[in-house]
Amino acid sequence: MSTPTETETPSETETEGGTRLSYETRDRLYHLALYGSAALFSAVILFPIYWMVQNAFTDSQTVITEFSWLPSPETVTLDNFSVLAAGAVPRYVINTIVVTAGTIVVVVGVSLVAGYGMARFRFRYKESFAQFLLLGYMFSPIVLGLPLYLIWSEIGLLNAQIGLVIALSSISMPFAVWLMWKYIQTIPESMEESAWIAGASRWRTFWDVVVPQTKPAIVACALFAFAIAWNDFTFAQILLPSQESTTFAPGIMRLIDQGGYTSWGDIMAVSLLMTVPPLLFAYFLQEYLLKGFEVRTR
Amino acid sequence: MTVHIDNMTRVFDSPNADRIVAVDELSLTIEDGEFLTLVGPSGCGKTTTLRCVAGLDTPTAGTIRVDDRDVTELPPQQRDVALLFQDIALYPHMSVRKNMEYGLKIAGVPEDERREHVAEAAALLQIGDQLDKMPASLSGGQQQRVALGRSLVRDPSVFLFDEPMSDLDAKLKRELRPVVQRITDEIGCPVLYVTHDQEEAMTMSDRIAIMDDGELQQAGSPKEVYSEPINDFVGEFIGQPAMEFFDAHVESANGTAAVSMGDHTVSLPATADELEGYVDSPVRVGVRPQQIGIGDPAEGIEAEHVLDEPLGDETHSIFETEFGDVTVVTHADFDGDGDTEYGLVLDESATQLFDPDSGVRIH
């Protein structure tokens, strides 16, 4: 973005540093590289989403038999979405919602209490405890999932949504607790002390003074738990084996495997439906999250 | 209500550091309606004392009583105290009104009564038009007024202040000081005010208690601690600019005492009795900068002018002497000259003598 005053004549640059390109050329190259890489990156990321949307709205026969980059008006249809009301799909969707909601509630609740405890109480080996929490991230879900299967089937949590909620909460928890711990540390203790002196109990103070101020952290934890639970495949596949109790991700896998015929149109329709909530969730809460952090910086 | 602090000690133990005696056998009584200021340098134990009175900290030994009630082990919720924090500590997510009525809400006071109390307090503090704003949109001074109001509506039996004005600028401080005094008068309970600012202590207090290194040095009215400091620490801490000290030697004492300070000798109106045991011994002479005059080198302590700090109504002039740098309060018109030889003349009737080892004032 060169203005007339910034423009340098080639002769000037020559005297300055020999082979240096002129400002204008460097500027143009920089922008070319910038927008070029951005475009490439977007294409890689966005194309699968575009393909999913296109297929979801295309006649299911056409999806299999023909190929076209752009949707053609004759084949656009909403028929694929009828799958949402058919068979086990509604069950999957409801199960996913139940498990996700449960996970968010558990993660936010536990991380608030645990984060407060870690921020405000001194106890032995607190730092080690915090580091130990992070150890959970060293294992892949499949490594944790198989022992969990054995334990859950022993205590009767297999095929129970609460079982999956516990498993998903436990893998979301380390991050959420750390976030909440660090966030509560930024709230001045004198605010709580002031409430105690005014006569409020520790618990009441926690509710009235601490929790309302952690809203941005609550949103962040909820968002994180949402992403973990909504998109989980491994744990759901292992811990909810039955058709009635399982969630969308393993469910869609079963749709693909069903018989010899794969209805890509149906699958893309279900996929699209399940992609929309995270997008909305992330978009609106991200706005809120930023707003929350702005308030804190006063 | 009267607050009694008896032999209170607070020791902090930490595994990897030394034991810290923050407060050492402090005894202090705050009478009903009395404004007592606890003043001292940072780390002297004044805030720890206040936190023990508030119930946010518990003494290692000793007792705290309010009237006849032993509150030493009571949690803060049961002490009926109000505390104004240095960082103000308003709840950022509540409006000014909600902030002010929070204590009453906890106490279960019905809403219309709460509104009445808040309106009264807000009128007194001149923040009636701010009630529906959020704390973040108020200035520092207004926020401190809200915090005052929050305490005022609760009508506490003890009012505590923990350096509430440290973060405010000098002009705001001056504006708020009378407000604080009006409010505390209104409530009429014992007030314990902690500060490191001797000016605040002098201007607001009925009585000042000076602490150093966990120990109470002296407690008395502002005039008393200013004119009759018990030791050199109090002498230096109270008064602006700080008292100047000179190492000296008592030559003789009979009616007047001859005290030599380097090459210069002053005769002080002190009897032999008063200086018993100090004749022919070293002492420290303390003089306030206001009581030092400027004269010829022959008249006083030889001094070389370093710089002037004009304040408009007076000037603080700094001189270099054989005793180190000495600040002198000079006339507003005084304009020091680095080439001229000056003599610092001490007002003999205003000098004070201190024991060089214990620091205790002997005259």
Side-chain angles (χ1 to χ4, degrees), chain A residues 8-243:
Chain A
E8 291 172 34
T9 61
S11 65
E12 263 173 353
T13 26
E14 212 89 338
T15 51
E16 213 177 71
T19 54
R20 253 166 87 95
L21 295 167
S22 77
Y23 177 82
E24 250 176 294
T25 318
R26 274 183 290 146
D27 193 54
R28 222 173 282 137
L29 279 175
Y30 168 74
H31 281 98
L32 193 73
L34 181 71
Y35 293 124
S37 57
L40 187 70
F41 197 69
S42 306
V44 171
I45 297 282
L46 291 176
F47 185 75
I49 297 174
Y50 163 72
W51 203 242
M52 174 178 75
V53 176
Q54 196 211 333
N55 283 358
F57 286 101
T58 306
D59 174 68
S60 55
Q61 270 320 111
T62 323
V63 171
I64 298 166
T65 51
E66 283 168 45
F67 174 87
S68 99
W69 288 105
L70 296 167
S72 51
E74 311 90 72
T75 60
V76 167
T77 172
L78 287 173
D79 287 353
N80 292 330
F81 290 90
S82 62
V83 74
L84 297 176
V89 173
R91 222 23 289 154
Y92 298 155
V93 175
I94 291 168
N95 289 344
T96 306
I97 291 168
V98 168
V99 166
T100 305
T103 306
I104 290 173
V105 169
V106 173
V107 166
V108 169
V110 175
S111 67
L112 266 173
V113 175
Y116 179 79
M118 292 182 67
R120 292 295 189 248
F121 292 97
R122 279 208 242 167
F123 52 90
R124 269 166 159 262
Y125 308 119
K126 183 159 89 177
E127 300 293 321
S128 319
F129 169 72
Q131 281 154 12
F132 180 74
L133 275 182
L134 293 183
L135 213 66
Y137 286 128
M138 301 295 126
F139 304 97
S140 77
I142 192 82
V143 174
L144 296 170
L146 292 174
L148 273 181
Y149 177 85
L150 297 175
I151 299 166
W152 267 210
S153 68
E154 195 69 31
I155 60 177
L157 282 176
L158 219 54
N159 282 323
Q161 267 117 28
I162 185 75
L164 183 58
V165 167
I166 293 171
L168 292 174
S169 299
S170 67
I171 52 167
S172 315
M173 208 59 85
F175 171 80
V177 170
W178 268 76
L179 183 81
M180 208 52 96
W181 171 31
K182 293 296 162 192
Y183 197 82
I184 291 174
Q185 278 181 340
T186 68
I187 300 173
E189 262 178 272
S190 54
M191 283 180 194
E192 282 161 72
E193 291 175 346
S194 153
W196 299 342
I197 282 171
S201 65
R202 196 178 258 278
W203 188 243
R204 177 96 196 247
T205 304
F206 176 66
W207 267 119
D208 286 355
V209 176
V210 180
V211 172
Q213 291 191 61
T214 57
K215 259 185 206 160
I218 291 176
V219 169
C221 287
L223 206 61
F224 185 74
F226 176 93
I228 294 267
W230 191 264
N231 298 323
D232 168 68
F233 173 79
T234 318
F235 279 128
Q237 172 78 352
I238 296 171
L239 300 178
L240 301 178
S242 86
Q243 181 76 351

Side-chain angles (χ1 to χ4, degrees), chain B residues 294 297 301-307 317-322 324-326 328 334 336-344:
Chain B
I294 307 290
I301 301 160
E302 276 183 36
E304 205 173 292
H305 181 259
V306 180
L307 60 89
S317 305
I318 295 158
F319 291 90
E320 202 180 298
T321 70
E322 59 177 308
D325 284 355
V326 174
V328 179
F334 181 80
D337 174 4
D339 298 328
T340 318
E341 288 279 300
Y342 291 98
L344 304 184

Side-chain angles (χ1 to χ4, degrees), chain B residues 128-149:
Chain B
D129 50 344
Q130 316 282 342
L131 287 178
D132 295 316
K133 292 189 183 167
M134 296 307 270
S137 64
L138 302 184
S139 69
Q142 281 173 324
Q143 288 185 7
Q144 204 52 282
R145 279 169 195 261
V146 175
L148 266 169

Side-chain angles (χ1 to χ4, degrees), chain B residues 59-111:
Chain B
T60 317
T63 56
I64 300 165
R65 285 179 297 126
V66 177
D67 284 345
D68 289 331
R69 181 165 159 248
D70 187 338
V71 300
T72 317
E73 302 288 334
L74 284 187
Q77 287 89 345
Q78 292 168 28
R79 295 207 183 189
D80 192 25
V81 299
L83 170 52
L84 219 65
F85 290 86
Q86 178 176 354
D87 59 3
I88 306 178
L90 294 177
Y91 313 128
H93 56 290
M94 297 185 195
S95 67
V96 168
R97 179 192 306 284
K98 289 256 160 61
N99 263 286
M100 283 174 70
E101 66 177 20
Y102 185 69
L104 298 176
K105 199 173 152 191
I106 295 290
V109 176
E111 193 174 348

